[in-house]
Amino acid sequence: MTTALERPPDLRGPDAAAAFAELFDAHARRLRGYLAGRVGESTADDLVAETFLVALRRRHSYDPERAPVKGWLYGIATNLMREHLRRETRGRRAGLRSVGRPEPDHGAFVADRVDAQRASAAIAQALTELRDEDRDALLLTSWAGLTPSEVAEAIGEPASTVRSRLHRVRTRLQALLTEENRDA
């Protein structure tokens, strides 16, 4: 028996609600895990809900011939998360300016979000120095478990670009960690 998740979902058909229910059951937990590592659990819950609302509104733009639905959903979630982080950063800066305090280092903000078990201060600092596109590609593969092809769909770039970006980022991080270990 073939389930709806083994074939491209029909998001435009008369049973779109059932298709979205299956998509939610299949992807929401892992999507939440990916987001929670970046923005915290409470905000991740909100962003997962918003991801599926946006997907429902944009269901006519999903093209199953281009890529699996998983990449499409992670792309929506990543864009929502980026916007949330931008708003949060602007709000923090405005609040600090209003009370005359200096702005905190953005690296400390990102380091607080990195899993303490899997990351050291050197990794957190290296992540903050990455461009948004590089960081998103790296975290979509390592935290969300997407393949480079799925990441490509999520961020709207060719898979070859994503593979090249991942190679470059991993090489850079390895060099930074090696240098950090020598200095320690």
Side-chain angles (χ1 to χ4, degrees):
M1 180 170 145
T2 303
T3 69
L5 295 175
E6 292 173 348
R7 63 182 182 282
D10 182 9
L11 302 181
R12 299 176 189 171
D15 205 11
F20 270 94
E22 284 191 49
L23 286 177
F24 187 86
D25 290 345
H27 298 289
R29 186 177 61 64
R30 292 198 67 205
L31 190 59
R32 183 187 182 278
Y34 162 68
L35 292 167
R38 307 260 324 254
V39 297
E41 292 190 16
S42 173
T43 302
D45 290 337
D46 293 340
L47 290 176
V48 168
E50 192 173 350
T51 296
F52 281 92
L53 285 173
V54 169
L56 182 62
R57 277 188 239 125
R58 295 183 187 165
R59 68 185 178 272
H60 296 291
S61 71
Y62 171 64
D63 181 5
E65 300 298 319
R66 282 188 54 206
V69 72
K70 182 179 178 182
W72 182 62
L73 290 172
Y74 274 89
I76 293 170
T78 298
N79 288 334
L80 290 171
M81 178 197 52
R82 280 183 185 172
E83 182 55 35
H84 168 78
L85 291 173
R86 278 192 289 268
R87 280 192 314 265
E88 191 174 83
T89 300
R90 282 192 303 263
R92 228 180 7 298
R93 287 178 179 161
L96 291 171
R97 280 192 303 270
S98 70
V99 295
R101 289 189 187 159
E103 189 175 316
D105 181 9
H106 181 67
F109 173 74
V110 174
D112 290 341
R113 304 283 193 229
V114 177
D115 183 346
Q117 291 288 334
R118 295 181 36 189
S120 67
I123 292 172
Q125 183 59 39
L127 286 174
T128 65
E129 293 174 9
L130 296 175
R131 295 184 338 201
D132 287 344
E133 299 83 13
D134 292 344
R135 184 173 34 254
D136 289 340
L138 179 67
L139 295 179
L140 282 167
T141 56
S142 61
W143 284 7
L146 270 64
T147 65
S149 296
E150 291 168 330
V151 172
E153 174 62 24
I155 63 177
E157 293 185 354
S160 59
T161 300
V162 171
R163 284 189 290 275
S164 173
R165 176 174 286 144
L166 286 170
H167 176 74
R168 185 177 61 247
V169 168
R170 288 174 179 151
T171 300
R172 181 174 175 207
L173 288 175
Q174 183 63 44
L176 287 171
L177 294 175
T178 302
E179 182 178 311
E180 183 72 23
N181 286 339
R182 269 185 289 177
D183 293 342

